[in-house]
């Protein structure tokens, strides 16, 4: 019941008094220094995501003043369908592979919130099957692309409620925020509003990313 309430709250996020932060239109095939690839949460509005993607991108712009940034919003339904996260997984991997081929010097920051964290997890080879709005892995980033991923920024990551996390080659490049009581990422969590508060972590995420680019 708590999970359903939290997902319902996300569907009403436009009415909870949050203010959209400015972010440029998502772009592709731009040979910037860093491409910020963001997968939004379930029903989350915004260019890259009102709660996480947009504020994180704004924080990165302030932090990485010597770098040219581009952005890409992962193209997927972000709904409750059984294939939603899988579609995002495929799109993220396809985008990063295409960008890496077109722009050999470009590096990537991967951002995922809620269901979007499932999308990123799967793309790194960590299955989100069995998690809230998760799916089996349908595509993974190839080994040739791995060194180009500078940092992975995750928020309200559903696999954490299963006792899982990002491991392997991406572990040291990953920061994974889970608010106290967030029922999406904390097994037994009972504070549904905690899942909507990750905008406050945008600065910390940008600082972490800046230390790795």
């Amino acid at each position: 019941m708590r999970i359903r309430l939290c997902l319902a709250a996300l569907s009403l996020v436009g009415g909870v008094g949050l203010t959209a932060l400015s972010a440029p239109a998502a772009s592709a095939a731009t040979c910037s220094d860093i491409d910020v690839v963001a997968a939004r949460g379930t029903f989350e509005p915004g260019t890259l995501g009102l709660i996480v993607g947009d504020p994180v991108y704004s924080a990165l712009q302030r932090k990485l003043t010597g770098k040219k940034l581009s952005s890409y919003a992962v193209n997927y339904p972000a709904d409750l369908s059984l294939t939603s996260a899988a579609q995002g997984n495929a799109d993220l991997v396809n985008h990063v592979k295409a960008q890496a081929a077109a722009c050999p010097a470009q590096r990537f920051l991967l951002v995922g919130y809620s269901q979007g964290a499932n999308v990123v997890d799967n793309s790194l080879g960590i299955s989100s099957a069995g998690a809230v709005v998760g799916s089996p892995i349908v595509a993974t980033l190839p080994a040739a692309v791995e060194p180009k991923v500078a940092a992975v920024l995750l928020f309200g990551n559903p696999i954490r409620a299963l006792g899982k996390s990002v491991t392997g080659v991406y572990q040291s490049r990953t920061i994974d925020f889970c608010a106290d009581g967030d029922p999406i990422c904390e097994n037994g969590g009972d504070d549904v509003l905690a899942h909507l508060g990750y905008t406050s972590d945008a600065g910390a995420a940008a600082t972490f990313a800046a230390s790795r680019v």
Side-chain angles (χ1 to χ4, degrees):
M1 175 62 73
R2 287 194 298 269
I3 300 299
R4 289 197 296 271
L5 285 171
C6 199
L7 292 173
L10 279 175
S11 71
L12 298 173
V13 71
V16 296
L18 294 171
T19 301
L21 300 181
S22 61
S27 59
T30 299
C31 288
S32 61
D33 296 316
I34 299 170
D35 191 30
V36 181
V37 182
R40 69 193 191 283
T42 306
F43 304 130
E44 186 186 12
T47 303
L48 302 177
L50 176 65
I51 295 171
V52 167
D54 292 347
V56 166
Y57 190 86
S58 294
L60 288 167
Q61 287 180 307
R62 293 191 295 270
K63 203 75 176 177
L64 301 174
T65 53
K67 303 287 186 181
K68 180 181 179 183
L69 271 61
S70 59
S71 66
Y72 179 76
V74 173
N75 183 16
Y76 84 115
D79 59 20
L80 300 180
S81 63
L82 294 178
T83 62
S84 177
Q87 291 178 64
N89 174 194
D91 185 72
L92 187 154
V93 171
N94 286 338
H95 170 77
V96 172
K97 287 168 61 178
Q99 284 294 116
C103 308
Q106 191 173 62
R107 301 183 75 194
F108 300 92
L109 298 176
L110 306 183
V111 182
Y113 166 52
S114 193
Q115 184 176 174
N118 286 338
V119 168
V120 175
D121 293 330
N122 282 13
S123 301
L124 302 180
I126 311 295
S127 177
S128 66
V132 176
V133 289
S135 80
I137 295 169
V138 297
T140 56
L141 294 172
V145 169
E146 174 265 314
K148 300 175 182 290
V149 178
V152 179
L153 314 176
L154 303 175
F155 305 77
N157 188 356
I159 69 169
R160 289 189 52 168
L162 303 178
K164 298 173 66 176
S165 61
V166 173
T167 56
V169 294
Y170 293 102
Q171 183 173 11
S172 64
R173 285 173 264 171
T174 299
I175 190 167
D176 193 339
F177 296 92
C178 181
D180 289 343
D182 180 349
I184 300 298
C185 58
E186 180 184 298
N187 187 18
D190 59 3
D191 182 1
V192 296
L193 293 180
H195 194 63
L196 304 178
Y198 290 103
T199 299
S200 63
D201 295 309
T207 297
F208 177 85
S211 71
R212 283 156 176 79
V213 298

